Amino acid sequence: MAKAIKQRLTRQESRLETRTKLLESAAQLFARGGYEGASVDLIAESAGYSKGAFYSNFESKEAIFLELLDIHKRREIDALAALLAQDIPASELLSLIRSGESGRGSDFRIGLLSAEFQLQACRDKTFAKTYAKLHRTHRDTMAGLVVKLFAKLARTPPSAPKDLADIIMGLTTGLSLQETSVQGPLRKGFINEAILLVLGLDRVGEKRA
């Protein structure tokens, strides 16, 4: 029995490794050639697997595309949620937010992928419906975190939390894309500083002269 359990765990680990490699391959290909430029065959081949392995893990190219979106958005949200969960003074909280990277990836693909998600939603009505649902889920979660942030700072949000969440998500995507196409690497914390500026929180916690 113990041997059977060990074998099952090994298969689970192998499946997780396969999914991870397929996701990495898809991210690279989508960023390089757009949604249309990346086929299931190419994604599988680049990851070192067969087409059958792809379909054992993902229902379609759209499915892996949407999972990448979900991973990217959750990374941003989880980073902020982790900070808000800490019992620390407002000034320290804002300092950590300013110096952080808002869940940004370690390479240039995030900006390109975010833009590609939105472009594909414009091209494909079916994808647009699924994309919109996922976007609303992340937007609502981000809005809840915006409410928590302002509550911790004992301040009133300057606009509806959902509107602010949309602004935050759009600003993050836009600046990440700008980093890839024009300026090169942005200074660490720049995106979060921009978000705080838009939210009217850029001067909160600073010592008066």
Side-chain angles (χ1 to χ4, degrees), residues 134-174:
L134 189 58
H135 175 80
R136 284 194 298 270
T137 297
H138 289 303
R139 189 268 313 275
D140 292 347
T141 303
M142 179 64 78
L145 294 176
V146 168
V147 171
K148 288 183 180 180
L149 173 61
F150 277 88
K152 274 183 169 284
L153 300 175
R155 295 173 71 90
T156 302
S159 187
K162 288 185 179 181
D163 290 341
L164 295 175
D166 272 329
I167 291 170
I168 291 170
M169 294 166 73
L171 184 61
T172 301
T173 296

Side-chain angles (χ1 to χ4, degrees), residues 23-42:
L23 284 164
E24 291 174 350
S25 172
Q28 292 174 353
L29 290 169
F30 286 140
R32 187 186 309 155
Y35 185 81
E36 297 300 331
S39 66
V40 169
D41 287 329
L42 280 174

Side-chain angles (χ1 to χ4, degrees), residues 24-180:
E24 291 174 350
S25 172
Q28 292 174 353
L29 290 169
F30 286 140
R32 187 186 309 155
Y35 185 81
E36 297 300 331
S39 66
V40 169
D41 287 329
L42 280 174
I43 293 170
E45 181 182 351
S46 179
Y49 296 105
S50 66
K51 191 174 180 179
F54 178 94
Y55 284 114
S56 292
N57 287 274
F58 299 98
E59 183 179 304
S60 62
K61 183 171 75 167
E62 180 181 285
I64 196 171
F65 198 55
L66 287 168
E67 184 157 336
L68 284 169
L69 171 63
D70 189 41
I71 290 170
H72 169 43
K73 294 298 183 184
R74 280 191 286 107
R75 186 182 298 127
E76 294 177 351
I77 288 170
D78 290 348
L80 179 56
L83 286 178
L84 292 176
Q86 299 183 46
D87 184 17
I88 54 179
S91 58
E92 184 177 347
L93 171 63
L94 287 172
S95 178
L96 288 171
I97 292 175
R98 287 190 188 98
S99 62
E101 295 195 66
S102 191
R104 292 170 57 220
S106 60
D107 58 55
F108 71 94
R109 292 174 304 187
I110 293 303
L112 292 176
L113 280 173
S114 297
E116 185 60 31
F117 291 134
Q118 295 178 45
L119 287 171
Q120 183 59 21
C122 293
R123 302 183 191 112
D124 187 326
K125 291 182 179 180
T126 301
F127 178 81
K129 291 180 180 179
T130 310
Y131 173 84
K133 182 178 180 181
L134 189 58
H135 175 80
R136 284 194 298 270
T137 297
H138 289 303
R139 189 268 313 275
D140 292 347
T141 303
M142 179 64 78
L145 294 176
V146 168
V147 171
K148 288 183 180 180
L149 173 61
F150 277 88
K152 274 183 169 284
L153 300 175
R155 295 173 71 90
T156 302
S159 187
K162 288 185 179 181
D163 290 341
L164 295 175
D166 272 329
I167 291 170
I168 291 170
M169 294 166 73
L171 184 61
T172 301
T173 296
L175 288 177
S176 295
L177 183 59
Q178 183 174 310
E179 175 183 39
T180 72

